[in-house]
Amino acid sequence: MKKLTRILSLIMVVALIATLFGGCSQKRDLDKIKESGKLIMLTNAAFPPFEYTENNKVVGVDVDIANEIAQELGVKLEVQDMDFDFIVDYVKKGKGDIGVAGMSVNDERKEQINFSVEYITSTQFVIVPTGTDTASFELDGKVIGVQEGTTGDVYYASDPEVIKAKEVKKYKSAIDAAADLKLGRVDCVMIDEMPAQNIVKQNESQLICYNAGYEPESYAIAVAKDNTELLNVVNKVLNRLLDEGKIDEFIVAHS
Ligand code: ARG
């Protein structure tokens, strides 16, 4: 009996150690990033003008910013396109160095990762078919398309205390949601201001958008909590770009 207890406690100790180490992020600190010669940016490239694909390459305002950070570090930028709702977890686990995805700062995300200084302010817009009277358009009772895991999804469309939607359809991107809007499968799409305007611009004869009137949101770059040195570099570059008016220039170039 004693032996069994001993074996059992040994198993428990091993399990505990495994959990402790398994839970640690494989931190890529500044030295590791420089050694590897690349900075890994995680994004979801269906959010123009911040990130979108052109000739099979991910480009946009956020890519321009990340390139400046890579340059500051003297390394190459590697962009990984993925589902938006996994970015925070991947950054937390060290599967990428920076999450740059027009990501709005909020408390839930702050518990998982650190945010840089804020570099853009935005708000939620609603896309509807042309001819819709936006002044009287009500979100309550509607089938609303959103990009899964975005603020438009979590804080607005999917929160019955804010909007009593008939149904919320969750898509991998607002572009996919807008495609369904054109087919009449949703009544409207909720997404951030500039991406909404961009989508409308691509579909001028079919779609229009308007400000939904909710709180302003601020975009920042996500960095793993234990990666303070990297966060300092990110902030230094962002502050310089903001001072020089470069971010506005990037927006103009991608709009
Ligand atoms: N700003 C919104 C959020 O943080 C939407 C961001 C979506 N970004 C993207 N690259 N698809 O939730």
Side-chain angles (χ1 to χ4, degrees):
M1 198 55 201
K2 243 192 176 165
K3 200 170 171 195
L4 185 66
T5 326
R6 229 184 269 156
I7 292 173
L8 278 179
S9 20
L10 189 69
I11 292 175
M12 273 164 69
V13 169
V14 171
L16 182 69
I17 293 173
T19 331
L20 282 177
F21 281 93
C24 281
S25 64
Q26 306 123 9
K27 176 167 143 185
R28 284 190 13 112
D29 56 18
L30 277 193
D31 287 343
K32 285 236 178 74
I33 291 172
K34 286 181 184 166
E35 235 170 70
S36 72
K38 63 181 183 190
L39 176 74
I40 305 170
M41 162 182 171
L42 305 179
T43 196
N44 169 260
F47 198 67
F50 297 101
E51 41 268 334
Y52 55 101
T53 48
E54 206 172 66
N55 307 321
N56 288 323
K57 234 186 114 193
V58 179
V59 294
V61 176
D62 284 338
V63 180
D64 291 349
I65 294 173
N67 260 317
E68 296 273 350
I69 299 167
Q71 223 168 22
E72 174 80 26
L73 293 168
V75 297
K76 273 197 358 216
L77 180 70
E78 182 181 302
V79 184
Q80 285 180 17
D81 188 10
M82 59 181 292
D83 285 353
F84 179 75
D85 52 340
F86 288 136
I87 297 176
V88 166
D89 191 53
Y90 269 45
V91 169
K92 179 184 170 183
K93 292 184 174 147
K95 292 184 185 172
D97 303 315
I98 50 176
V100 200
M103 191 183 288
S104 306
V105 173
N106 68 37
D107 288 344
E108 280 80 3
R109 291 173 184 163
K110 266 193 204 159
E111 278 172 21
Q112 314 280 320
I113 45 91
N114 276 338
F115 276 117
S116 68
V117 294
E118 299 165 356
Y119 62 93
I120 295 273
T121 47
S122 182
T123 192
Q124 294 301 308
F125 265 49
V126 174
I127 308 175
V128 286
T130 23
T132 306
D133 177 14
T134 56
S136 66
F137 190 82
E138 280 286 340
L139 289 164
D140 287 347
K142 295 293 192 313
V143 181
I144 307 175
V146 293
Q147 179 178 23
E148 183 155 32
T150 55
T151 41
D153 171 15
V154 181
Y155 285 89
Y156 300 108
S158 293
D159 182 349
E161 292 197 359
V162 183
I163 298 169
K164 288 178 183 50
K166 180 174 173 199
E167 190 190 339
V168 181
K169 287 199 177 165
K170 301 181 189 233
Y171 295 86
K172 290 284 171 214
S173 76
I175 295 174
D176 291 349
D180 257 11
L181 174 60
K182 287 192 280 180
L183 295 172
R185 293 184 181 146
V186 295
D187 298 318
C188 59
V189 171
M190 182 180 274
I191 194 68
D192 303 40
E193 175 173 3
M194 278 190 245
Q197 289 165 336
N198 202 290
I199 289 170
V200 164
K201 215 168 98 188
Q202 309 296 322
N203 297 278
E204 233 155 21
S205 60
Q206 287 167 287
L207 305 174
I208 51 171
C209 65
Y210 69 94
N211 188 335
Y214 296 114
E215 293 289 299
E217 298 177 23
S218 301
Y219 297 169
I221 295 178
V223 178
K225 280 215 190 260
D226 50 7
N227 222 344
T228 329
E229 283 178 352
L230 176 59
L231 184 65
N232 290 340
V233 175
V234 168
N235 281 337
K236 181 180 155 198
V237 172
L238 276 176
N239 282 326
R240 175 176 58 79
L241 295 175
L242 287 165
D243 281 351
E244 294 172 352
K246 277 275 170 24
I247 298 192
D248 290 333
E249 282 177 28
F250 296 160
I251 292 174
V252 172
H254 292 284
S255 295

